[in-house]
Amino acid sequence: MRVLVIGSGGREHGLVWKLKQSDKVEEIFVASGNAGTADLAENIEISDSDIEGLISFAKGREVDLTVVGPEAPLVDGVVDTFEKEGLRIFGPTKDGAKLEGSKVFSKDLMKKYGIPTAKYESFSDAKKAIDYIKKEGAPIVVKAEGLAAGKGVIVAQDVEEAIQAVEEIMVDERFGQAGNQIVVEEFLKGEEATVLAFTDGKTIVPMIPSQDHKAAYDGDKGPNTGGMGAYAPAPVVDDKMMERIKKEVLEPTIKALKEEGVKFKGILYSGLMIDGDEIKVLEYNVRFGDPETQVVLPLLETDLVEIFEAVIDERLAKVNIQWSKKTALCVVMASGGYPINYEKGKEISGVAEASKEEDIVVFQAGTALKGDKLVTAGGRVLAVTALGDGYQDAIDKAYENVEKIDFEGAHYRNDIGGKAVNRN
Ligand code: AMP
Ligand code: GLY
């Protein structure tokens, strides 16, 4: 079978790497990919927002299955358009993608159906939002309503900072239309976890729980990023907690969508805050996480194509999904200055050397080839994933190999996995 993967980050390198292991797959195309996907598949120069271009490629090259990595094409209705053309595609339709594309929609859905989440109000008037913030006090969280490439959430420590966030989003229109409305919500404390789940709208199969590291610097300091590293499983979600998440979050979410007339098929990503025995949903996404994918898929033992096909054909209940007992941990290496300003085009060394090691996979994100040289081409450049026996082993292996890789200005967190080790 011929598979087309849409996207160009580390998550998509992870998807291609896993799909490549399937006996069913003959050829993989990636639109538009990176230097890592180019090693395993054929990169094609079509942007992930060019739905017409993607359809004409899928038809012309007789693609049997298309897999969507990022949220933007899902929110734009890529799945609806492919299906209308009779093409097989994995992911939710536009009405389901609203769960990620509209914070007001997802918060209102949670409130209506009693799914636990932070107390909130939504506003389309900056002055009313500011009055509410003054009344509630800080810390408080301000979120742009629409997609903002992971940067639309400001966790404000004081009222001034929250007001400034409202002004930047609503008055200066920092995120364009995405900021016409905002959600202001209660600050939650606790430990974060990601639960990704496969669902065909009837059956829900959670993957191994994982934990991202959103802040740029050690000790969860500095600005939020797309994610500086991850590990799986996340011990904060033990078997008992996972059962509760299924009953209190995953099943009610799919049921709520159904009652609203939405059949949700694809990946349901629940970003959770866990505080003792209290679970709250921070956000939903409608696709694989990045960098969570780079630790979850290396633990998946079942053929990913088999799962994707079962979701599309609504027979997920019949697939027996198996996981490795190992621990996976990845450390993201980012360009100097990321997530604010960073330079591109720096030569990267050591990737081949690290990739030679058993139990190590280097997933590339912002990379490109300049002649035969591997160079940086984005903020998050690559993630070094290690498989280990337990957290300390995975940490040691990952950092031993991070040290082999170098580019000018490279920075990474030194404490990925620390929370998991310190619990024991
Ligand atoms: P989101 O995109 O909604 O997941 O928000 C990005 C990050 O902001 C989350 O991963 C949390 O670290 C933080 N965050 C979001 N909402 C809250 C909240 N209500 N309380 C505390 N932190 C939050
Ligand atoms: N790692 C967070 C996300 O994928 O949204």
mmCIF file with all atom_site columns, all heavy atoms in Angstrom, residues 11 71 100 150 194 212-214 225-227 269 283 285 287-292 380, ligand 2:
data_model
loop_
_atom_site.group_PDB
_atom_site.id
_atom_site.type_symbol
_atom_site.label_atom_id
_atom_site.label_alt_id
_atom_site.label_comp_id
_atom_site.label_asym_id
_atom_site.label_entity_id
_atom_site.label_seq_id
_atom_site.pdbx_PDB_ins_code
_atom_site.Cartn_x
_atom_site.Cartn_y
_atom_site.Cartn_z
_atom_site.occupancy
_atom_site.B_iso_or_equiv
_atom_site.pdbx_formal_charge
_atom_site.auth_seq_id
_atom_site.auth_comp_id
_atom_site.auth_asym_id
_atom_site.auth_atom_id
_atom_site.pdbx_PDB_model_num
ATOM   1   N N   . ARG A 1 11  ? 6.993   14.692 15.146 1.00 0.00 ? 11  ARG A N   1
ATOM   2   C CA  . ARG A 1 11  ? 5.853   13.762 15.212 1.00 0.00 ? 11  ARG A CA  1
ATOM   3   C C   . ARG A 1 11  ? 5.712   13.003 13.888 1.00 0.00 ? 11  ARG A C   1
ATOM   4   O O   . ARG A 1 11  ? 5.520   11.784 13.879 1.00 0.00 ? 11  ARG A O   1
ATOM   5   C CB  . ARG A 1 11  ? 4.585   14.578 15.477 1.00 0.00 ? 11  ARG A CB  1
ATOM   6   C CG  . ARG A 1 11  ? 3.284   13.845 15.178 1.00 0.00 ? 11  ARG A CG  1
ATOM   7   C CD  . ARG A 1 11  ? 2.095   14.756 15.394 1.00 0.00 ? 11  ARG A CD  1
ATOM   8   N NE  . ARG A 1 11  ? 2.231   16.011 14.679 1.00 0.00 ? 11  ARG A NE  1
ATOM   9   C CZ  . ARG A 1 11  ? 1.776   17.180 15.105 1.00 0.00 ? 11  ARG A CZ  1
ATOM   10  N NH1 . ARG A 1 11  ? 1.103   17.261 16.219 1.00 0.00 ? 11  ARG A NH1 1
ATOM   11  N NH2 . ARG A 1 11  ? 1.971   18.279 14.402 1.00 0.00 ? 11  ARG A NH2 1
ATOM   12  N N   . GLU A 1 71  ? -2.670  19.790 13.439 1.00 0.00 ? 71  GLU A N   1
ATOM   13  C CA  . GLU A 1 71  ? -4.075  20.134 13.651 1.00 0.00 ? 71  GLU A CA  1
ATOM   14  C C   . GLU A 1 71  ? -4.664  21.032 12.571 1.00 0.00 ? 71  GLU A C   1
ATOM   15  O O   . GLU A 1 71  ? -5.852  20.910 12.240 1.00 0.00 ? 71  GLU A O   1
ATOM   16  C CB  . GLU A 1 71  ? -4.262  20.792 15.025 1.00 0.00 ? 71  GLU A CB  1
ATOM   17  C CG  . GLU A 1 71  ? -3.470  22.077 15.290 1.00 0.00 ? 71  GLU A CG  1
ATOM   18  C CD  . GLU A 1 71  ? -2.027  21.836 15.723 1.00 0.00 ? 71  GLU A CD  1
ATOM   19  O OE1 . GLU A 1 71  ? -1.532  20.705 15.583 1.00 0.00 ? 71  GLU A OE1 1
ATOM   20  O OE2 . GLU A 1 71  ? -1.387  22.805 16.189 1.00 0.00 ? 71  GLU A OE2 1
ATOM   21  N N   . GLU A 1 100 ? -10.241 20.845 19.200 1.00 0.00 ? 100 GLU A N   1
ATOM   22  C CA  . GLU A 1 100 ? -8.956  21.534 19.344 1.00 0.00 ? 100 GLU A CA  1
ATOM   23  C C   . GLU A 1 100 ? -9.006  22.947 18.758 1.00 0.00 ? 100 GLU A C   1
ATOM   24  O O   . GLU A 1 100 ? -8.381  23.864 19.287 1.00 0.00 ? 100 GLU A O   1
ATOM   25  C CB  . GLU A 1 100 ? -7.823  20.737 18.657 1.00 0.00 ? 100 GLU A CB  1
ATOM   26  C CG  . GLU A 1 100 ? -6.489  21.476 18.708 1.00 0.00 ? 100 GLU A CG  1
ATOM   27  C CD  . GLU A 1 100 ? -5.282  20.626 18.363 1.00 0.00 ? 100 GLU A CD  1
ATOM   28  O OE1 . GLU A 1 100 ? -5.439  19.424 18.073 1.00 0.00 ? 100 GLU A OE1 1
ATOM   29  O OE2 . GLU A 1 100 ? -4.161  21.176 18.393 1.00 0.00 ? 100 GLU A OE2 1
ATOM   30  N N   . GLY A 1 150 ? 0.240   26.570 19.487 1.00 0.00 ? 150 GLY A N   1
ATOM   31  C CA  . GLY A 1 150 ? 0.685   26.204 20.831 1.00 0.00 ? 150 GLY A CA  1
ATOM   32  C C   . GLY A 1 150 ? 1.125   27.391 21.675 1.00 0.00 ? 150 GLY A C   1
ATOM   33  O O   . GLY A 1 150 ? 1.591   27.224 22.789 1.00 0.00 ? 150 GLY A O   1
ATOM   34  N N   . THR A 1 194 ? -0.315  13.425 29.485 1.00 0.00 ? 194 THR A N   1
ATOM   35  C CA  . THR A 1 194 ? -0.982  13.329 28.188 1.00 0.00 ? 194 THR A CA  1
ATOM   36  C C   . THR A 1 194 ? -1.521  11.917 28.024 1.00 0.00 ? 194 THR A C   1
ATOM   37  O O   . THR A 1 194 ? -0.767  10.956 28.196 1.00 0.00 ? 194 THR A O   1
ATOM   38  C CB  . THR A 1 194 ? 0.020   13.585 27.042 1.00 0.00 ? 194 THR A CB  1
ATOM   39  O OG1 . THR A 1 194 ? 0.554   14.899 27.166 1.00 0.00 ? 194 THR A OG1 1
ATOM   40  C CG2 . THR A 1 194 ? -0.654  13.446 25.676 1.00 0.00 ? 194 THR A CG2 1
ATOM   41  N N   . ASP A 1 212 ? 4.812   15.377 28.829 1.00 0.00 ? 212 ASP A N   1
ATOM   42  C CA  . ASP A 1 212 ? 5.573   16.349 28.047 1.00 0.00 ? 212 ASP A CA  1
ATOM   43  C C   . ASP A 1 212 ? 6.295   17.286 29.023 1.00 0.00 ? 212 ASP A C   1
ATOM   44  O O   . ASP A 1 212 ? 5.988   17.294 30.214 1.00 0.00 ? 212 ASP A O   1
ATOM   45  C CB  . ASP A 1 212 ? 4.543   17.122 27.201 1.00 0.00 ? 212 ASP A CB  1
ATOM   46  C CG  . ASP A 1 212 ? 5.149   18.067 26.188 1.00 0.00 ? 212 ASP A CG  1
ATOM   47  O OD1 . ASP A 1 212 ? 6.385   18.053 26.015 1.00 0.00 ? 212 ASP A OD1 1
ATOM   48  O OD2 . ASP A 1 212 ? 4.393   18.832 25.574 1.00 0.00 ? 212 ASP A OD2 1
ATOM   49  N N   . HIS A 1 213 ? 7.230   18.058 28.546 1.00 0.00 ? 213 HIS A N   1
ATOM   50  C CA  . HIS A 1 213 ? 7.896   19.095 29.352 1.00 0.00 ? 213 HIS A CA  1
ATOM   51  C C   . HIS A 1 213 ? 7.767   20.383 28.563 1.00 0.00 ? 213 HIS A C   1
ATOM   52  O O   . HIS A 1 213 ? 8.550   20.634 27.650 1.00 0.00 ? 213 HIS A O   1
ATOM   53  C CB  . HIS A 1 213 ? 9.370   18.749 29.588 1.00 0.00 ? 213 HIS A CB  1
ATOM   54  C CG  . HIS A 1 213 ? 9.588   17.494 30.387 1.00 0.00 ? 213 HIS A CG  1
ATOM   55  N ND1 . HIS A 1 213 ? 9.176   16.265 29.953 1.00 0.00 ? 213 HIS A ND1 1
ATOM   56  C CD2 . HIS A 1 213 ? 10.173  17.298 31.593 1.00 0.00 ? 213 HIS A CD2 1
ATOM   57  C CE1 . HIS A 1 213 ? 9.497   15.362 30.864 1.00 0.00 ? 213 HIS A CE1 1
ATOM   58  N NE2 . HIS A 1 213 ? 10.105  15.959 31.875 1.00 0.00 ? 213 HIS A NE2 1
ATOM   59  N N   . LYS A 1 214 ? 6.762   21.193 28.911 1.00 0.00 ? 214 LYS A N   1
ATOM   60  C CA  . LYS A 1 214 ? 6.408   22.355 28.076 1.00 0.00 ? 214 LYS A CA  1
ATOM   61  C C   . LYS A 1 214 ? 7.351   23.542 28.229 1.00 0.00 ? 214 LYS A C   1
ATOM   62  O O   . LYS A 1 214 ? 7.602   24.265 27.274 1.00 0.00 ? 214 LYS A O   1
ATOM   63  C CB  . LYS A 1 214 ? 4.992   22.828 28.444 1.00 0.00 ? 214 LYS A CB  1
ATOM   64  C CG  . LYS A 1 214 ? 3.891   21.902 27.966 1.00 0.00 ? 214 LYS A CG  1
ATOM   65  C CD  . LYS A 1 214 ? 3.144   22.500 26.788 1.00 0.00 ? 214 LYS A CD  1
ATOM   66  C CE  . LYS A 1 214 ? 2.272   21.488 26.093 1.00 0.00 ? 214 LYS A CE  1
ATOM   67  N NZ  . LYS A 1 214 ? 1.074   21.133 26.832 1.00 0.00 ? 214 LYS A NZ  1
ATOM   68  N N   . THR A 1 225 ? 6.937   26.158 25.432 1.00 0.00 ? 225 THR A N   1
ATOM   69  C CA  . THR A 1 225 ? 7.400   25.789 24.081 1.00 0.00 ? 225 THR A CA  1
ATOM   70  C C   . THR A 1 225 ? 6.425   24.758 23.528 1.00 0.00 ? 225 THR A C   1
ATOM   71  O O   . THR A 1 225 ? 5.456   24.401 24.205 1.00 0.00 ? 225 THR A O   1
ATOM   72  C CB  . THR A 1 225 ? 8.784   25.117 24.155 1.00 0.00 ? 225 THR A CB  1
ATOM   73  O OG1 . THR A 1 225 ? 8.617   23.833 24.801 1.00 0.00 ? 225 THR A OG1 1
ATOM   74  C CG2 . THR A 1 225 ? 9.785   25.946 24.939 1.00 0.00 ? 225 THR A CG2 1
ATOM   75  N N   . GLY A 1 226 ? 6.721   24.240 22.358 1.00 0.00 ? 226 GLY A N   1
ATOM   76  C CA  . GLY A 1 226 ? 5.929   23.127 21.823 1.00 0.00 ? 226 GLY A CA  1
ATOM   77  C C   . GLY A 1 226 ? 6.141   21.855 22.630 1.00 0.00 ? 226 GLY A C   1
ATOM   78  O O   . GLY A 1 226 ? 5.331   20.930 22.561 1.00 0.00 ? 226 GLY A O   1
ATOM   79  N N   . GLY A 1 227 ? 7.216   21.805 23.421 1.00 0.00 ? 227 GLY A N   1
ATOM   80  C CA  . GLY A 1 227 ? 7.544   20.596 24.202 1.00 0.00 ? 227 GLY A CA  1
ATOM   81  C C   . GLY A 1 227 ? 9.020   20.289 24.070 1.00 0.00 ? 227 GLY A C   1
ATOM   82  O O   . GLY A 1 227 ? 9.529   20.176 22.960 1.00 0.00 ? 227 GLY A O   1
ATOM   83  N N   . TYR A 1 269 ? -6.560  13.433 21.971 1.00 0.00 ? 269 TYR A N   1
ATOM   84  C CA  . TYR A 1 269 ? -5.450  13.770 22.868 1.00 0.00 ? 269 TYR A CA  1
ATOM   85  C C   . TYR A 1 269 ? -6.053  14.516 24.043 1.00 0.00 ? 269 TYR A C   1
ATOM   86  O O   . TYR A 1 269 ? -6.647  15.576 23.852 1.00 0.00 ? 269 TYR A O   1
ATOM   87  C CB  . TYR A 1 269 ? -4.472  14.649 22.091 1.00 0.00 ? 269 TYR A CB  1
ATOM   88  C CG  . TYR A 1 269 ? -3.349  15.339 22.845 1.00 0.00 ? 269 TYR A CG  1
ATOM   89  C CD1 . TYR A 1 269 ? -2.036  15.240 22.400 1.00 0.00 ? 269 TYR A CD1 1
ATOM   90  C CD2 . TYR A 1 269 ? -3.584  16.130 23.973 1.00 0.00 ? 269 TYR A CD2 1
ATOM   91  C CE1 . TYR A 1 269 ? -1.001  15.903 23.054 1.00 0.00 ? 269 TYR A CE1 1
ATOM   92  C CE2 . TYR A 1 269 ? -2.558  16.781 24.628 1.00 0.00 ? 269 TYR A CE2 1
ATOM   93  C CZ  . TYR A 1 269 ? -1.274  16.668 24.160 1.00 0.00 ? 269 TYR A CZ  1
ATOM   94  O OH  . TYR A 1 269 ? -0.261  17.329 24.806 1.00 0.00 ? 269 TYR A OH  1
ATOM   95  N N   . GLU A 1 283 ? -6.845  20.615 28.125 1.00 0.00 ? 283 GLU A N   1
ATOM   96  C CA  . GLU A 1 283 ? -7.147  20.846 26.711 1.00 0.00 ? 283 GLU A CA  1
ATOM   97  C C   . GLU A 1 283 ? -7.323  19.510 26.009 1.00 0.00 ? 283 GLU A C   1
ATOM   98  O O   . GLU A 1 283 ? -6.851  18.473 26.480 1.00 0.00 ? 283 GLU A O   1
ATOM   99  C CB  . GLU A 1 283 ? -6.006  21.604 26.024 1.00 0.00 ? 283 GLU A CB  1
ATOM   100 C CG  . GLU A 1 283 ? -4.719  20.797 25.993 1.00 0.00 ? 283 GLU A CG  1
ATOM   101 C CD  . GLU A 1 283 ? -3.691  21.268 24.964 1.00 0.00 ? 283 GLU A CD  1
ATOM   102 O OE1 . GLU A 1 283 ? -4.024  22.084 24.096 1.00 0.00 ? 283 GLU A OE1 1
ATOM   103 O OE2 . GLU A 1 283 ? -2.565  20.786 25.024 1.00 0.00 ? 283 GLU A OE2 1
ATOM   104 N N   . ASN A 1 285 ? -6.624  17.839 22.136 1.00 0.00 ? 285 ASN A N   1
ATOM   105 C CA  . ASN A 1 285 ? -6.121  17.984 20.782 1.00 0.00 ? 285 ASN A CA  1
ATOM   106 C C   . ASN A 1 285 ? -6.708  16.833 19.981 1.00 0.00 ? 285 ASN A C   1
ATOM   107 O O   . ASN A 1 285 ? -7.194  15.849 20.557 1.00 0.00 ? 285 ASN A O   1
ATOM   108 C CB  . ASN A 1 285 ? -4.587  17.949 20.748 1.00 0.00 ? 285 ASN A CB  1
ATOM   109 C CG  . ASN A 1 285 ? -3.980  19.157 21.466 1.00 0.00 ? 285 ASN A CG  1
ATOM   110 O OD1 . ASN A 1 285 ? -4.496  20.260 21.362 1.00 0.00 ? 285 ASN A OD1 1
ATOM   111 N ND2 . ASN A 1 285 ? -2.912  18.938 22.204 1.00 0.00 ? 285 ASN A ND2 1
ATOM   112 N N   . ARG A 1 287 ? -5.089  15.077 17.459 1.00 0.00 ? 287 ARG A N   1
ATOM   113 C CA  . ARG A 1 287 ? -3.988  14.488 16.683 1.00 0.00 ? 287 ARG A CA  1
ATOM   114 C C   . ARG A 1 287 ? -2.943  14.011 17.664 1.00 0.00 ? 287 ARG A C   1
ATOM   115 O O   . ARG A 1 287 ? -3.041  14.243 18.855 1.00 0.00 ? 287 ARG A O   1
ATOM   116 C CB  . ARG A 1 287 ? -3.437  15.554 15.720 1.00 0.00 ? 287 ARG A CB  1
ATOM   117 C CG  . ARG A 1 287 ? -3.470  16.973 16.332 1.00 0.00 ? 287 ARG A CG  1
ATOM   118 C CD  . ARG A 1 287 ? -2.201  17.450 16.828 1.00 0.00 ? 287 ARG A CD  1
ATOM   119 N NE  . ARG A 1 287 ? -2.268  18.653 17.628 1.00 0.00 ? 287 ARG A NE  1
ATOM   120 C CZ  . ARG A 1 287 ? -1.471  18.873 18.642 1.00 0.00 ? 287 ARG A CZ  1
ATOM   121 N NH1 . ARG A 1 287 ? -0.592  17.968 19.005 1.00 0.00 ? 287 ARG A NH1 1
ATOM   122 N NH2 . ARG A 1 287 ? -1.527  19.985 19.347 1.00 0.00 ? 287 ARG A NH2 1
ATOM   123 N N   . PHE A 1 288 ? -1.925  13.328 17.140 1.00 0.00 ? 288 PHE A N   1
ATOM   124 C CA  . PHE A 1 288 ? -0.818  12.886 17.999 1.00 0.00 ? 288 PHE A CA  1
ATOM   125 C C   . PHE A 1 288 ? -0.094  14.106 18.583 1.00 0.00 ? 288 PHE A C   1
ATOM   126 O O   . PHE A 1 288 ? -0.036  15.156 17.953 1.00 0.00 ? 288 PHE A O   1
ATOM   127 C CB  . PHE A 1 288 ? 0.196   12.091 17.171 1.00 0.00 ? 288 PHE A CB  1
ATOM   128 C CG  . PHE A 1 288 ? -0.190  10.658 16.904 1.00 0.00 ? 288 PHE A CG  1
ATOM   129 C CD1 . PHE A 1 288 ? -0.722  10.280 15.686 1.00 0.00 ? 288 PHE A CD1 1
ATOM   130 C CD2 . PHE A 1 288 ? 0.007   9.685  17.870 1.00 0.00 ? 288 PHE A CD2 1
ATOM   131 C CE1 . PHE A 1 288 ? -1.050  8.946  15.432 1.00 0.00 ? 288 PHE A CE1 1
ATOM   132 C CE2 . PHE A 1 288 ? -0.316  8.356  17.631 1.00 0.00 ? 288 PHE A CE2 1
ATOM   133 C CZ  . PHE A 1 288 ? -0.846  7.984  16.409 1.00 0.00 ? 288 PHE A CZ  1
ATOM   134 N N   . GLY A 1 289 ? 0.487   13.948 19.754 1.00 0.00 ? 289 GLY A N   1
ATOM   135 C CA  . GLY A 1 289 ? 1.265   15.020 20.368 1.00 0.00 ? 289 GLY A CA  1
ATOM   136 C C   . GLY A 1 289 ? 2.687   15.042 19.833 1.00 0.00 ? 289 GLY A C   1
ATOM   137 O O   . GLY A 1 289 ? 3.205   14.039 19.347 1.00 0.00 ? 289 GLY A O   1
ATOM   138 N N   . ASP A 1 290 ? 3.313   16.182 19.950 1.00 0.00 ? 290 ASP A N   1
ATOM   139 C CA  . ASP A 1 290 ? 4.709   16.322 19.574 1.00 0.00 ? 290 ASP A CA  1
ATOM   140 C C   . ASP A 1 290 ? 5.400   17.013 20.746 1.00 0.00 ? 290 ASP A C   1
ATOM   141 O O   . ASP A 1 290 ? 5.067   18.163 21.025 1.00 0.00 ? 290 ASP A O   1
ATOM   142 C CB  . ASP A 1 290 ? 4.794   17.174 18.298 1.00 0.00 ? 290 ASP A CB  1
ATOM   143 C CG  . ASP A 1 290 ? 6.182   17.168 17.681 1.00 0.00 ? 290 ASP A CG  1
ATOM   144 O OD1 . ASP A 1 290 ? 7.148   16.806 18.381 1.00 0.00 ? 290 ASP A OD1 1
ATOM   145 O OD2 . ASP A 1 290 ? 6.299   17.525 16.503 1.00 0.00 ? 290 ASP A OD2 1
ATOM   146 N N   . PRO A 1 291 ? 6.243   16.385 21.522 1.00 0.00 ? 291 PRO A N   1
ATOM   147 C CA  . PRO A 1 291 ? 7.025   15.172 21.252 1.00 0.00 ? 291 PRO A CA  1
ATOM   148 C C   . PRO A 1 291 ? 6.469   13.864 21.860 1.00 0.00 ? 291 PRO A C   1
ATOM   149 O O   . PRO A 1 291 ? 7.204   12.871 21.885 1.00 0.00 ? 291 PRO A O   1
ATOM   150 C CB  . PRO A 1 291 ? 8.363   15.505 21.901 1.00 0.00 ? 291 PRO A CB  1
ATOM   151 C CG  . PRO A 1 291 ? 7.992   16.279 23.131 1.00 0.00 ? 291 PRO A CG  1
ATOM   152 C CD  . PRO A 1 291 ? 6.742   17.051 22.756 1.00 0.00 ? 291 PRO A CD  1
ATOM   153 N N   . GLU A 1 292 ? 5.212   13.819 22.324 1.00 0.00 ? 292 GLU A N   1
ATOM   154 C CA  . GLU A 1 292 ? 4.729   12.572 22.937 1.00 0.00 ? 292 GLU A CA  1
ATOM   155 C C   . GLU A 1 292 ? 4.801   11.375 21.970 1.00 0.00 ? 292 GLU A C   1
ATOM   156 O O   . GLU A 1 292 ? 5.118   10.249 22.371 1.00 0.00 ? 292 GLU A O   1
ATOM   157 C CB  . GLU A 1 292 ? 3.287   12.730 23.425 1.00 0.00 ? 292 GLU A CB  1
ATOM   158 C CG  . GLU A 1 292 ? 3.127   13.661 24.624 1.00 0.00 ? 292 GLU A CG  1
ATOM   159 C CD  . GLU A 1 292 ? 2.795   15.083 24.222 1.00 0.00 ? 292 GLU A CD  1
ATOM   160 O OE1 . GLU A 1 292 ? 3.256   15.549 23.160 1.00 0.00 ? 292 GLU A OE1 1
ATOM   161 O OE2 . GLU A 1 292 ? 2.050   15.751 24.976 1.00 0.00 ? 292 GLU A OE2 1
ATOM   162 N N   . ARG A 1 380 ? 12.491  23.630 17.176 1.00 0.00 ? 380 ARG A N   1
ATOM   163 C CA  . ARG A 1 380 ? 12.830  22.317 17.726 1.00 0.00 ? 380 ARG A CA  1
ATOM   164 C C   . ARG A 1 380 ? 13.512  21.558 16.597 1.00 0.00 ? 380 ARG A C   1
ATOM   165 O O   . ARG A 1 380 ? 12.924  21.316 15.547 1.00 0.00 ? 380 ARG A O   1
ATOM   166 C CB  . ARG A 1 380 ? 11.566  21.614 18.216 1.00 0.00 ? 380 ARG A CB  1
ATOM   167 C CG  . ARG A 1 380 ? 11.010  22.287 19.471 1.00 0.00 ? 380 ARG A CG  1
ATOM   168 C CD  . ARG A 1 380 ? 9.906   21.480 20.106 1.00 0.00 ? 380 ARG A CD  1
ATOM   169 N NE  . ARG A 1 380 ? 8.703   21.439 19.294 1.00 0.00 ? 380 ARG A NE  1
ATOM   170 C CZ  . ARG A 1 380 ? 7.631   20.700 19.586 1.00 0.00 ? 380 ARG A CZ  1
ATOM   171 N NH1 . ARG A 1 380 ? 7.625   19.949 20.671 1.00 0.00 ? 380 ARG A NH1 1
ATOM   172 N NH2 . ARG A 1 380 ? 6.567   20.702 18.817 1.00 0.00 ? 380 ARG A NH2 1
HETATM 173 N N1  . GLY B 2 .   ? 3.153   18.341 23.132 1.00 0.00 ? 2   GLY B N1  1
HETATM 174 C C1  . GLY B 2 .   ? 1.979   19.121 23.082 1.00 0.00 ? 2   GLY B C1  1
HETATM 175 C C2  . GLY B 2 .   ? 1.214   19.032 21.854 1.00 0.00 ? 2   GLY B C2  1
HETATM 176 O O1  . GLY B 2 .   ? 1.476   18.240 20.984 1.00 0.00 ? 2   GLY B O1  1
HETATM 177 O O2  . GLY B 2 .   ? 0.255   19.788 21.718 1.00 0.00 ? 2   GLY B O2  1
#
